Amino acid sequence: MKNAVLSGGIIGVLSVIWIFAMPRLGVMPQKDVVAPVEYFSFIIPAIGLFSAS
């Protein structure tokens, strides 16, 4: 259970940082267009998953 709380906290903190960083990087929601930097959002759960192992 300790690992679940730790990885969940890491994922939560990184997600909040990501949400506020995206507009600062100039990435805004657009129709049918995905900015290349959005593809790196998979890194957040990967860090949380592998940091608690």
Side-chain angles (χ1 to χ4, degrees):
M1 185 67 181
K2 183 177 106 176
N3 287 342
V5 172
L6 178 63
S7 62
I10 291 170
I11 291 171
V13 169
L14 291 176
S15 295
V16 169
I17 292 170
W18 187 257
I19 289 169
F20 287 107
M22 292 300 283
R24 291 186 184 262
L25 293 172
V27 179
M28 300 302 239
Q30 298 176 1
K31 291 183 180 177
D32 301 327
V33 178
V34 177
V37 73
E38 290 183 74
Y39 290 116
F40 290 105
S41 63
F42 76 90
I43 293 173
I44 294 173
I47 290 171
L49 177 66
F50 293 116
S51 69
S53 304

PDB file of all heavy atoms in Angstrom, residues 19-45:
ATOM      1  N   ILE A  19      -0.037  20.290 -16.165  1.00  0.00           N
ATOM      2  CA  ILE A  19      -1.214  21.082 -16.527  1.00  0.00           C
ATOM      3  C   ILE A  19      -0.880  22.567 -16.570  1.00  0.00           C
ATOM      4  O   ILE A  19      -1.331  23.285 -17.462  1.00  0.00           O
ATOM      5  CB  ILE A  19      -2.375  20.801 -15.543  1.00  0.00           C
ATOM      6  CG1 ILE A  19      -2.923  19.394 -15.793  1.00  0.00           C
ATOM      7  CG2 ILE A  19      -3.472  21.838 -15.668  1.00  0.00           C
ATOM      8  CD1 ILE A  19      -3.885  18.916 -14.727  1.00  0.00           C
ATOM      9  N   PHE A  20      -0.085  23.048 -15.626  1.00  0.00           N
ATOM     10  CA  PHE A  20       0.273  24.466 -15.620  1.00  0.00           C
ATOM     11  C   PHE A  20       1.411  24.787 -16.586  1.00  0.00           C
ATOM     12  O   PHE A  20       1.537  25.925 -17.046  1.00  0.00           O
ATOM     13  CB  PHE A  20       0.630  24.922 -14.205  1.00  0.00           C
ATOM     14  CG  PHE A  20      -0.575  25.046 -13.318  1.00  0.00           C
ATOM     15  CD1 PHE A  20      -0.806  24.116 -12.324  1.00  0.00           C
ATOM     16  CD2 PHE A  20      -1.485  26.070 -13.494  1.00  0.00           C
ATOM     17  CE1 PHE A  20      -1.923  24.217 -11.506  1.00  0.00           C
ATOM     18  CE2 PHE A  20      -2.606  26.181 -12.698  1.00  0.00           C
ATOM     19  CZ  PHE A  20      -2.829  25.256 -11.703  1.00  0.00           C
ATOM     20  N   ALA A  21       2.243  23.798 -16.901  1.00  0.00           N
ATOM     21  CA  ALA A  21       3.366  24.045 -17.807  1.00  0.00           C
ATOM     22  C   ALA A  21       2.930  24.110 -19.261  1.00  0.00           C
ATOM     23  O   ALA A  21       3.532  24.845 -20.053  1.00  0.00           O
ATOM     24  CB  ALA A  21       4.421  22.955 -17.635  1.00  0.00           C
ATOM     25  N   MET A  22       1.923  23.364 -19.639  1.00  0.00           N
ATOM     26  CA  MET A  22       1.507  23.320 -21.040  1.00  0.00           C
ATOM     27  C   MET A  22       1.133  24.702 -21.592  1.00  0.00           C
ATOM     28  O   MET A  22       1.620  25.078 -22.659  1.00  0.00           O
ATOM     29  CB  MET A  22       0.360  22.316 -21.235  1.00  0.00           C
ATOM     30  CG  MET A  22       0.779  20.885 -21.022  1.00  0.00           C
ATOM     31  SD  MET A  22       2.079  20.330 -22.120  1.00  0.00           S
ATOM     32  CE  MET A  22       1.136  20.071 -23.587  1.00  0.00           C
ATOM     33  N   PRO A  23       0.297  25.489 -20.932  1.00  0.00           N
ATOM     34  CA  PRO A  23       0.001  26.822 -21.474  1.00  0.00           C
ATOM     35  C   PRO A  23       1.231  27.732 -21.510  1.00  0.00           C
ATOM     36  O   PRO A  23       1.384  28.544 -22.421  1.00  0.00           O
ATOM     37  CB  PRO A  23      -1.053  27.392 -20.536  1.00  0.00           C
ATOM     38  CG  PRO A  23      -1.639  26.219 -19.849  1.00  0.00           C
ATOM     39  CD  PRO A  23      -0.556  25.188 -19.788  1.00  0.00           C
ATOM     40  N   ARG A  24       2.127  27.569 -20.546  1.00  0.00           N
ATOM     41  CA  ARG A  24       3.350  28.383 -20.547  1.00  0.00           C
ATOM     42  C   ARG A  24       4.273  28.019 -21.712  1.00  0.00           C
ATOM     43  O   ARG A  24       5.056  28.840 -22.170  1.00  0.00           O
ATOM     44  CB  ARG A  24       4.087  28.251 -19.229  1.00  0.00           C
ATOM     45  CG  ARG A  24       3.335  28.895 -18.081  1.00  0.00           C
ATOM     46  CD  ARG A  24       4.170  28.865 -16.828  1.00  0.00           C
ATOM     47  NE  ARG A  24       3.420  29.389 -15.719  1.00  0.00           N
ATOM     48  CZ  ARG A  24       3.528  30.628 -15.278  1.00  0.00           C
ATOM     49  NH1 ARG A  24       4.342  31.460 -15.859  1.00  0.00           N
ATOM     50  NH2 ARG A  24       2.817  31.032 -14.253  1.00  0.00           N
ATOM     51  N   LEU A  25       4.176  26.784 -22.177  1.00  0.00           N
ATOM     52  CA  LEU A  25       4.951  26.354 -23.336  1.00  0.00           C
ATOM     53  C   LEU A  25       4.279  26.749 -24.650  1.00  0.00           C
ATOM     54  O   LEU A  25       4.812  26.496 -25.720  1.00  0.00           O
ATOM     55  CB  LEU A  25       5.146  24.833 -23.309  1.00  0.00           C
ATOM     56  CG  LEU A  25       6.013  24.283 -22.190  1.00  0.00           C
ATOM     57  CD1 LEU A  25       5.959  22.755 -22.173  1.00  0.00           C
ATOM     58  CD2 LEU A  25       7.444  24.752 -22.354  1.00  0.00           C
ATOM     59  N   GLY A  26       3.094  27.356 -24.540  1.00  0.00           N
ATOM     60  CA  GLY A  26       2.387  27.798 -25.735  1.00  0.00           C
ATOM     61  C   GLY A  26       1.479  26.749 -26.335  1.00  0.00           C
ATOM     62  O   GLY A  26       1.020  26.904 -27.460  1.00  0.00           O
ATOM     63  N   VAL A  27       1.208  25.682 -25.603  1.00  0.00           N
ATOM     64  CA  VAL A  27       0.336  24.622 -26.103  1.00  0.00           C
ATOM     65  C   VAL A  27      -1.075  24.904 -25.619  1.00  0.00           C
ATOM     66  O   VAL A  27      -1.355  24.873 -24.436  1.00  0.00           O
ATOM     67  CB  VAL A  27       0.801  23.234 -25.608  1.00  0.00           C
ATOM     68  CG1 VAL A  27      -0.127  22.150 -26.104  1.00  0.00           C
ATOM     69  CG2 VAL A  27       2.222  22.980 -26.043  1.00  0.00           C
ATOM     70  N   MET A  28      -1.950  25.208 -26.566  1.00  0.00           N
ATOM     71  CA  MET A  28      -3.346  25.496 -26.241  1.00  0.00           C
ATOM     72  C   MET A  28      -4.232  24.490 -26.974  1.00  0.00           C
ATOM     73  O   MET A  28      -3.856  23.998 -28.043  1.00  0.00           O
ATOM     74  CB  MET A  28      -3.713  26.915 -26.674  1.00  0.00           C
ATOM     75  CG  MET A  28      -2.851  27.959 -25.990  1.00  0.00           C
ATOM     76  SD  MET A  28      -2.974  27.880 -24.226  1.00  0.00           S
ATOM     77  CE  MET A  28      -3.536  29.476 -23.844  1.00  0.00           C
ATOM     78  N   PRO A  29      -5.394  24.181 -26.417  1.00  0.00           N
ATOM     79  CA  PRO A  29      -6.292  23.236 -27.094  1.00  0.00           C
ATOM     80  C   PRO A  29      -6.720  23.770 -28.461  1.00  0.00           C
ATOM     81  O   PRO A  29      -7.095  24.932 -28.585  1.00  0.00           O
ATOM     82  CB  PRO A  29      -7.494  23.145 -26.160  1.00  0.00           C
ATOM     83  CG  PRO A  29      -7.050  23.693 -24.865  1.00  0.00           C
ATOM     84  CD  PRO A  29      -5.927  24.634 -25.151  1.00  0.00           C
ATOM     85  N   GLN A  30      -6.622  22.926 -29.460  1.00  0.00           N
ATOM     86  CA  GLN A  30      -7.052  23.269 -30.812  1.00  0.00           C
ATOM     87  C   GLN A  30      -7.812  22.083 -31.382  1.00  0.00           C
ATOM     88  O   GLN A  30      -7.635  20.954 -30.948  1.00  0.00           O
ATOM     89  CB  GLN A  30      -5.847  23.584 -31.690  1.00  0.00           C
ATOM     90  CG  GLN A  30      -5.056  24.772 -31.208  1.00  0.00           C
ATOM     91  CD  GLN A  30      -3.807  24.985 -32.055  1.00  0.00           C
ATOM     92  OE1 GLN A  30      -3.561  24.256 -32.999  1.00  0.00           O
ATOM     93  NE2 GLN A  30      -3.028  25.972 -31.704  1.00  0.00           N
ATOM     94  N   LYS A  31      -8.601  22.356 -32.377  1.00  0.00           N
ATOM     95  CA  LYS A  31      -9.382  21.283 -32.996  1.00  0.00           C
ATOM     96  C   LYS A  31      -8.487  20.416 -33.877  1.00  0.00           C
ATOM     97  O   LYS A  31      -7.768  20.917 -34.724  1.00  0.00           O
ATOM     98  CB  LYS A  31     -10.505  21.871 -33.857  1.00  0.00           C
ATOM     99  CG  LYS A  31     -11.574  22.549 -33.058  1.00  0.00           C
ATOM    100  CD  LYS A  31     -12.663  23.039 -33.968  1.00  0.00           C
ATOM    101  CE  LYS A  31     -13.741  23.732 -33.169  1.00  0.00           C
ATOM    102  NZ  LYS A  31     -14.781  24.271 -34.022  1.00  0.00           N
ATOM    103  N   ASP A  32      -8.565  19.134 -33.675  1.00  0.00           N
ATOM    104  CA  ASP A  32      -7.906  18.134 -34.527  1.00  0.00           C
ATOM    105  C   ASP A  32      -6.405  18.337 -34.696  1.00  0.00           C
ATOM    106  O   ASP A  32      -5.831  17.889 -35.686  1.00  0.00           O
ATOM    107  CB  ASP A  32      -8.566  18.095 -35.909  1.00  0.00           C
ATOM    108  CG  ASP A  32     -10.045  17.762 -35.831  1.00  0.00           C
ATOM    109  OD1 ASP A  32     -10.419  17.000 -34.925  1.00  0.00           O
ATOM    110  OD2 ASP A  32     -10.810  18.272 -36.662  1.00  0.00           O
ATOM    111  N   VAL A  33      -5.769  19.020 -33.768  1.00  0.00           N
ATOM    112  CA  VAL A  33      -4.327  19.229 -33.860  1.00  0.00           C
ATOM    113  C   VAL A  33      -3.704  18.843 -32.515  1.00  0.00           C
ATOM    114  O   VAL A  33      -4.133  19.307 -31.480  1.00  0.00           O
ATOM    115  CB  VAL A  33      -3.986  20.702 -34.186  1.00  0.00           C
ATOM    116  CG1 VAL A  33      -2.489  20.894 -34.214  1.00  0.00           C
ATOM    117  CG2 VAL A  33      -4.604  21.116 -35.503  1.00  0.00           C
ATOM    118  N   VAL A  34      -2.705  17.989 -32.570  1.00  0.00           N
ATOM    119  CA  VAL A  34      -2.002  17.596 -31.354  1.00  0.00           C
ATOM    120  C   VAL A  34      -0.576  18.127 -31.454  1.00  0.00           C
ATOM    121  O   VAL A  34       0.140  17.832 -32.410  1.00  0.00           O
ATOM    122  CB  VAL A  34      -1.993  16.064 -31.189  1.00  0.00           C
ATOM    123  CG1 VAL A  34      -1.204  15.669 -29.962  1.00  0.00           C
ATOM    124  CG2 VAL A  34      -3.405  15.532 -31.121  1.00  0.00           C
ATOM    125  N   ALA A  35      -0.186  18.918 -30.469  1.00  0.00           N
ATOM    126  CA  ALA A  35       1.176  19.445 -30.445  1.00  0.00           C
ATOM    127  C   ALA A  35       2.140  18.305 -30.109  1.00  0.00           C
ATOM    128  O   ALA A  35       1.817  17.430 -29.297  1.00  0.00           O
ATOM    129  CB  ALA A  35       1.297  20.550 -29.415  1.00  0.00           C
ATOM    130  N   PRO A  36       3.313  18.297 -30.724  1.00  0.00           N
ATOM    131  CA  PRO A  36       4.268  17.217 -30.454  1.00  0.00           C
ATOM    132  C   PRO A  36       4.630  17.067 -28.974  1.00  0.00           C
ATOM    133  O   PRO A  36       4.863  15.962 -28.498  1.00  0.00           O
ATOM    134  CB  PRO A  36       5.497  17.617 -31.269  1.00  0.00           C
ATOM    135  CG  PRO A  36       4.961  18.475 -32.365  1.00  0.00           C
ATOM    136  CD  PRO A  36       3.790  19.200 -31.770  1.00  0.00           C
ATOM    137  N   VAL A  37       4.652  18.168 -28.231  1.00  0.00           N
ATOM    138  CA  VAL A  37       5.015  18.083 -26.809  1.00  0.00           C
ATOM    139  C   VAL A  37       3.954  17.319 -26.011  1.00  0.00           C
ATOM    140  O   VAL A  37       4.248  16.766 -24.960  1.00  0.00           O
ATOM    141  CB  VAL A  37       5.252  19.501 -26.241  1.00  0.00           C
ATOM    142  CG1 VAL A  37       3.955  20.248 -26.065  1.00  0.00           C
ATOM    143  CG2 VAL A  37       5.998  19.436 -24.933  1.00  0.00           C
ATOM    144  N   GLU A  38       2.733  17.235 -26.523  1.00  0.00           N
ATOM    145  CA  GLU A  38       1.687  16.500 -25.821  1.00  0.00           C
ATOM    146  C   GLU A  38       1.956  14.999 -25.800  1.00  0.00           C
ATOM    147  O   GLU A  38       1.462  14.297 -24.917  1.00  0.00           O
ATOM    148  CB  GLU A  38       0.327  16.776 -26.460  1.00  0.00           C
ATOM    149  CG  GLU A  38      -0.172  18.183 -26.232  1.00  0.00           C
ATOM    150  CD  GLU A  38      -1.542  18.392 -26.814  1.00  0.00           C
ATOM    151  OE1 GLU A  38      -2.510  17.874 -26.222  1.00  0.00           O
ATOM    152  OE2 GLU A  38      -1.631  19.053 -27.861  1.00  0.00           O
ATOM    153  N   TYR A  39       2.713  14.502 -26.743  1.00  0.00           N
ATOM    154  CA  TYR A  39       3.023  13.075 -26.768  1.00  0.00           C
ATOM    155  C   TYR A  39       3.925  12.672 -25.604  1.00  0.00           C
ATOM    156  O   TYR A  39       4.003  11.503 -25.262  1.00  0.00           O
ATOM    157  CB  TYR A  39       3.690  12.692 -28.085  1.00  0.00           C
ATOM    158  CG  TYR A  39       2.731  12.747 -29.255  1.00  0.00           C
ATOM    159  CD1 TYR A  39       2.922  13.658 -30.289  1.00  0.00           C
ATOM    160  CD2 TYR A  39       1.637  11.895 -29.316  1.00  0.00           C
ATOM    161  CE1 TYR A  39       2.054  13.706 -31.364  1.00  0.00           C
ATOM    162  CE2 TYR A  39       0.754  11.932 -30.381  1.00  0.00           C
ATOM    163  CZ  TYR A  39       0.976  12.845 -31.399  1.00  0.00           C
ATOM    164  OH  TYR A  39       0.105  12.895 -32.447  1.00  0.00           O
ATOM    165  N   PHE A  40       4.601  13.613 -24.986  1.00  0.00           N
ATOM    166  CA  PHE A  40       5.482  13.304 -23.867  1.00  0.00           C
ATOM    167  C   PHE A  40       4.730  13.176 -22.545  1.00  0.00           C
ATOM    168  O   PHE A  40       5.340  12.896 -21.523  1.00  0.00           O
ATOM    169  CB  PHE A  40       6.570  14.372 -23.744  1.00  0.00           C
ATOM    170  CG  PHE A  40       7.562  14.313 -24.867  1.00  0.00           C
ATOM    171  CD1 PHE A  40       7.526  15.247 -25.881  1.00  0.00           C
ATOM    172  CD2 PHE A  40       8.511  13.311 -24.921  1.00  0.00           C
ATOM    173  CE1 PHE A  40       8.421  15.193 -26.934  1.00  0.00           C
ATOM    174  CE2 PHE A  40       9.410  13.234 -25.965  1.00  0.00           C
ATOM    175  CZ  PHE A  40       9.374  14.182 -26.974  1.00  0.00           C
ATOM    176  N   SER A  41       3.426  13.350 -22.567  1.00  0.00           N
ATOM    177  CA  SER A  41       2.654  13.227 -21.331  1.00  0.00           C
ATOM    178  C   SER A  41       2.647  11.799 -20.799  1.00  0.00           C
ATOM    179  O   SER A  41       2.323  11.579 -19.632  1.00  0.00           O
ATOM    180  CB  SER A  41       1.225  13.725 -21.534  1.00  0.00           C
ATOM    181  OG  SER A  41       0.562  12.931 -22.494  1.00  0.00           O
ATOM    182  N   PHE A  42       3.004  10.817 -21.615  1.00  0.00           N
ATOM    183  CA  PHE A  42       3.073   9.436 -21.130  1.00  0.00           C
ATOM    184  C   PHE A  42       4.205   9.250 -20.124  1.00  0.00           C
ATOM    185  O   PHE A  42       4.238   8.266 -19.385  1.00  0.00           O
ATOM    186  CB  PHE A  42       3.249   8.454 -22.289  1.00  0.00           C
ATOM    187  CG  PHE A  42       4.635   8.418 -22.862  1.00  0.00           C
ATOM    188  CD1 PHE A  42       5.570   7.536 -22.359  1.00  0.00           C
ATOM    189  CD2 PHE A  42       5.010   9.279 -23.881  1.00  0.00           C
ATOM    190  CE1 PHE A  42       6.858   7.505 -22.875  1.00  0.00           C
ATOM    191  CE2 PHE A  42       6.282   9.248 -24.406  1.00  0.00           C
ATOM    192  CZ  PHE A  42       7.209   8.362 -23.896  1.00  0.00           C
ATOM    193  N   ILE A  43       5.123  10.178 -20.065  1.00  0.00           N
ATOM    194  CA  ILE A  43       6.256  10.079 -19.153  1.00  0.00           C
ATOM    195  C   ILE A  43       5.795  10.170 -17.693  1.00  0.00           C
ATOM    196  O   ILE A  43       6.382   9.539 -16.814  1.00  0.00           O
ATOM    197  CB  ILE A  43       7.294  11.180 -19.461  1.00  0.00           C
ATOM    198  CG1 ILE A  43       7.922  10.902 -20.829  1.00  0.00           C
ATOM    199  CG2 ILE A  43       8.357  11.262 -18.386  1.00  0.00           C
ATOM    200  CD1 ILE A  43       8.827  11.997 -21.327  1.00  0.00           C
ATOM    201  N   ILE A  44       4.731  10.922 -17.441  1.00  0.00           N
ATOM    202  CA  ILE A  44       4.256  11.117 -16.059  1.00  0.00           C
ATOM    203  C   ILE A  44       3.893   9.777 -15.399  1.00  0.00           C
ATOM    204  O   ILE A  44       4.419   9.465 -14.332  1.00  0.00           O
ATOM    205  CB  ILE A  44       3.094  12.117 -16.018  1.00  0.00           C
ATOM    206  CG1 ILE A  44       3.594  13.502 -16.421  1.00  0.00           C
ATOM    207  CG2 ILE A  44       2.458  12.159 -14.622  1.00  0.00           C
ATOM    208  CD1 ILE A  44       2.513  14.538 -16.586  1.00  0.00           C
ATOM    209  N   PRO A  45       3.006   8.966 -15.969  1.00  0.00           N
ATOM    210  CA  PRO A  45       2.711   7.685 -15.297  1.00  0.00           C
ATOM    211  C   PRO A  45       3.905   6.733 -15.291  1.00  0.00           C
ATOM    212  O   PRO A  45       4.048   5.937 -14.371  1.00  0.00           O
ATOM    213  CB  PRO A  45       1.532   7.110 -16.065  1.00  0.00           C
ATOM    214  CG  PRO A  45       1.446   7.881 -17.318  1.00  0.00           C
ATOM    215  CD  PRO A  45       2.110   9.187 -17.112  1.00  0.00           C
TER     216      PRO A  45
END
